[in-house]
């Protein structure tokens, strides 16, 4: 028996597995339930078909988590291939139909012929916890953004002056809207009593907030249609935003506590612009094991901050932004580079130089992010924290 390749088209309740040999001939095609006994039976049957099995799968978590864990626990090499890559590769295979069996066969054949697929490895518990926590935080932040936008729209419908005067991302204005939403109600209360009401609820700069609200109320004496019901909606939405803020704050504490347990905490957070949350998201997106990528160039490509050539015929040197990359990691790299411009003189000089060369703001920030990938890679490789002057330069 020789080497064989197994492709798994993963699903929520069932998977389909196809096994091929070196000539591409199918040795096995089976639909299995997403349960441990059936997956273990499949593993046994596949191992009986060849001496060396290489597995491919189109999901890296979610419904495929159990299958991946079983394979890794049995020391099986598993490679990830994206759904987009499978869809594109399917066009070069015979037939226009799409079935789970065909997709599994394409996965197996792609694993057989390609050498650039991402190998899956068992992550440590800290990285897994950070992936769960940061994923939940992203959901809450998205919910908060949507709720704030709804709140702005509702408040604009009855009291546009107050909507312009308030920053609805802060606790103080939100607290104000849980009590008073209309111009008439704020005018009746007055600045002094409103200030006292806000101070009793521990709102910072209550005097300035009360004065701004009363001034907005004095400029509007017209009651708009649906004001009473809309005011109730504003009250409810403001309370929802405050509750979401509390949930995000609690998650931030959990993320920081878990992130501090990781061996690379000090290294990652030493980089200017990479704080607790962005550093934790970097670990969640990459797994923390840089050897998986092999080189900083591959990490930069995975994170979408390395331009790719688009040459054709006589046109050469044409670069464009990549289309296949990890959106989550790109956001981390881009945002941290943006923050570093304000916090690091070295980053500011690099950004200013790129702008002087004629690059737009986004291009200059992406160029800075690409350069920072090399620095972060070297720090993680050497296990040392960021220093403005590297040790080698000091020795010279």
């Amino acid at each position: 028996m020789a080497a064989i390749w197994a492709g798994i088209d993963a699903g929520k309740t069932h998977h389909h597995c196809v096994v091929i040999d070196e000539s591409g001939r199918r040795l096995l095609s089976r639909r299995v339930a997403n349960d441990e006994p059936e997956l273990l039976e499949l593993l046994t049957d596949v191992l009986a078909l060849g001496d060396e099995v290489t597995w491919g799968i189109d999901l890296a978590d979610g419904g495929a988590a159990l299958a991946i864990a079983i394979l890794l626990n049995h020391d099986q090499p598993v490679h990830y291939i994206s759904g987009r890559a499978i869809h594109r590769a399917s066009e070069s295979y015979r037939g226009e139909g799409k079935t789970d069996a065909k997709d599994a066969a394409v996965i197996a054949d792609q694993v057989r012929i390609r050498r650039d697929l991402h190998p899956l490895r068992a992550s440590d518990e800290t990285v897994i916890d950070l992936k769960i926590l940061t994923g939940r935080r992203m959901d809450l932040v998205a919910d908060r953004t949507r709720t704030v936008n709804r709140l702005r729209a509702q408040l604009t419908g009855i009291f546009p002056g107050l909507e312009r005067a308030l920053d609805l991302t802060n606790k103080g204005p939100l607290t104000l809207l849980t009590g008073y939403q209309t111009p008439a109600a704020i005018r009746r209360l007055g600045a002094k009593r409103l200030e006292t009401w806000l101070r009793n609820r521990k709102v910072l700069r209550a005097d300035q907030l009360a004065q701004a609200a009363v001034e907005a109320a004095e400029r509007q004496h017209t009651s708009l249609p649906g004001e009473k019901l809309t005011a109730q909606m504003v009250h409810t939405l403001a309370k929802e935003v405050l509750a979401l803020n509390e949930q995000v704050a609690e998650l931030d504490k959990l993320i920081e506590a878990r992130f501090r347990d990781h061996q690379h905490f000090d290294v990652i957070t030493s980089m200017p612009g990479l704080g607790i949350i962005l550093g934790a998201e970097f670990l969640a997106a990459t797994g923390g094991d840089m050897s998986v990528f092999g080189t900083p160039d591959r990490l930069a490509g995975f994170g979408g901050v390395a331009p790719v050539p688009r040459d054709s015929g006589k046109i050469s040197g044409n670069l464009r932004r990549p289309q296949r990359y990890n959106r989550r990691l790109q956001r981390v790299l881009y945002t941290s580079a943006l923050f570093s411009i304000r916090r690091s003189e070295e980053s500011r000089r690099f950004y200013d130089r790129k702008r002087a060369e004629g690059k737009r703001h986004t291009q200059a920030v992406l160029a800075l992010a690409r350069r920072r990938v090399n620095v972060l890679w070297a720090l993680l490789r050497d296990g040392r924290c960021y220093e403005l002057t590297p040790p080698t330069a000091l020795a010279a």
Side-chain angles (χ1 to χ4, degrees):
M1 292 186 292
I4 58 175
W5 292 264
I8 298 178
D9 180 52
K12 182 179 178 181
T13 59
H14 291 80
H15 308 314
H16 199 104
C17 178
V18 169
V19 181
I20 62 174
D21 59 16
E22 60 183 5
S23 65
R25 181 172 62 92
R26 293 192 186 187
L27 305 178
L28 178 146
S29 179
R30 182 188 302 175
R31 187 171 185 259
V32 295
N34 190 17
D35 290 311
E36 186 169 349
E38 285 79 0
L39 292 172
L40 287 173
E41 181 181 355
L42 173 67
L43 175 61
T44 301
D45 293 344
V46 173
L47 291 177
L49 296 174
D51 297 322
E52 181 182 349
V53 185
T54 303
W55 300 77
I57 196 164
D58 62 342
L59 289 176
D61 49 23
L66 178 60
I68 293 172
I70 290 174
L71 292 174
L72 294 179
N73 289 341
H74 287 80
D75 299 323
Q76 296 296 299
V78 186
H79 296 269
Y80 167 71
I81 178 169
S82 68
R84 173 184 283 187
I86 298 168
H87 176 72
R88 291 180 174 178
S90 297
E91 297 177 355
S92 62
Y93 290 82
R94 185 175 58 187
E96 297 183 5
K98 182 187 183 306
T99 64
D100 293 344
K102 180 181 178 181
D103 288 344
V106 171
I107 294 171
D109 197 45
Q110 289 293 298
V111 173
R112 179 178 68 89
I113 63 179
R114 291 180 60 173
R115 298 294 180 267
D116 60 340
L117 295 179
H118 186 69
L120 297 178
R121 301 183 184 181
S123 300
D124 60 55
E125 287 296 324
T126 301
V127 172
I128 294 175
D129 290 347
L130 287 176
K131 184 179 295 186
I132 295 171
L133 291 171
T134 55
R136 174 57 178 164
R137 186 183 190 276
M138 290 176 64
D139 291 340
L140 288 176
V141 170
D143 290 342
R144 180 176 63 185
T145 301
R146 285 190 292 267
T147 307
V148 168
N149 289 337
R150 295 188 190 107
L151 176 58
R152 289 186 184 280
Q154 294 288 345
L155 185 58
T156 301
I158 59 171
F159 198 171
L162 186 61
E163 191 276 331
R164 290 194 304 269
L166 300 184
D167 182 357
L168 298 183
T169 61
N170 291 335
K171 179 180 178 181
L174 292 169
T175 303
L176 169 64
L177 292 178
T178 61
Y180 304 94
Q181 305 86 25
T182 64
I186 293 176
R187 282 198 306 272
R188 284 195 301 267
L189 191 64
K192 287 297 181 182
R193 284 194 295 170
L194 180 57
E195 178 184 341
T196 302
W197 186 86
L198 292 171
R199 289 189 187 279
N200 290 339
R201 286 154 181 78
K202 298 180 174 56
V203 173
L204 298 177
R205 293 184 289 277
D207 55 339
Q208 300 177 18
L209 179 58
Q211 186 63 35
V214 171
E215 288 178 357
E218 291 293 344
R219 290 194 296 270
Q220 179 177 331
H221 291 264
T222 301
S223 178
L224 300 180
E227 183 179 79
K228 185 177 180 180
L229 181 58
T230 304
Q232 295 176 2
M233 296 293 295
V234 169
H235 165 81
T236 301
L237 290 170
K239 291 186 68 175
E240 289 180 7
V241 177
L242 287 171
L244 287 169
N245 284 340
E246 293 178 0
Q247 293 182 57
V248 171
E250 288 298 322
L251 265 180
D252 288 348
K253 294 177 182 178
L254 294 175
I255 290 172
E256 179 175 359
R258 202 69 184 98
F259 186 21
R260 288 184 180 276
D261 293 337
H262 197 272
Q263 58 178 338
H264 293 318
F265 172 80
D266 292 330
V267 176
I268 293 174
T269 55
S270 68
M271 278 284 291
L274 266 180
I276 300 295
I277 302 303
L278 288 178
E281 290 186 357
F282 174 81
L283 280 180
T286 62
D289 186 2
M290 297 297 102
S291 63
V292 171
F293 300 97
T295 65
D297 293 337
R298 291 195 64 183
L299 176 61
F302 181 69
V305 296
V308 295
R310 192 176 185 179
D311 298 342
S312 179
K314 297 180 179 179
I315 301 175
S316 61
N318 188 22
L319 300 177
R320 64 171 176 84
R321 293 180 64 180
Q323 296 181 348
R324 292 179 293 170
Y325 57 88
N326 186 293
R327 265 63 178 173
R328 187 175 185 180
L329 180 57
Q330 189 201 51
R331 188 182 68 82
V332 171
L333 297 176
Y334 183 90
T335 306
S336 63
L338 199 60
F339 287 160
S340 72
I341 294 173
R342 297 197 299 264
R343 301 176 183 178
S344 170
E345 288 295 329
E346 187 179 31
S347 295
R348 166 57 69 176
R349 286 194 297 269
F350 183 89
Y351 171 82
D352 290 341
R353 186 167 71 250
K354 291 299 177 182
R355 291 286 284 166
E357 293 173 0
K359 294 187 180 297
R360 297 189 299 272
H361 168 74
T362 301
Q363 293 175 320
V365 176
L366 285 172
L368 175 60
R370 174 64 186 89
R371 186 186 188 190
R372 284 165 53 85
V373 167
N374 289 343
V375 176
L376 184 57
W377 176 277
L379 296 180
L380 292 171
R381 178 197 61 198
D382 300 338
R384 60 183 177 85
C385 295
Y386 175 84
E387 297 177 76
L388 188 58
T389 305
T392 52
L394 291 173

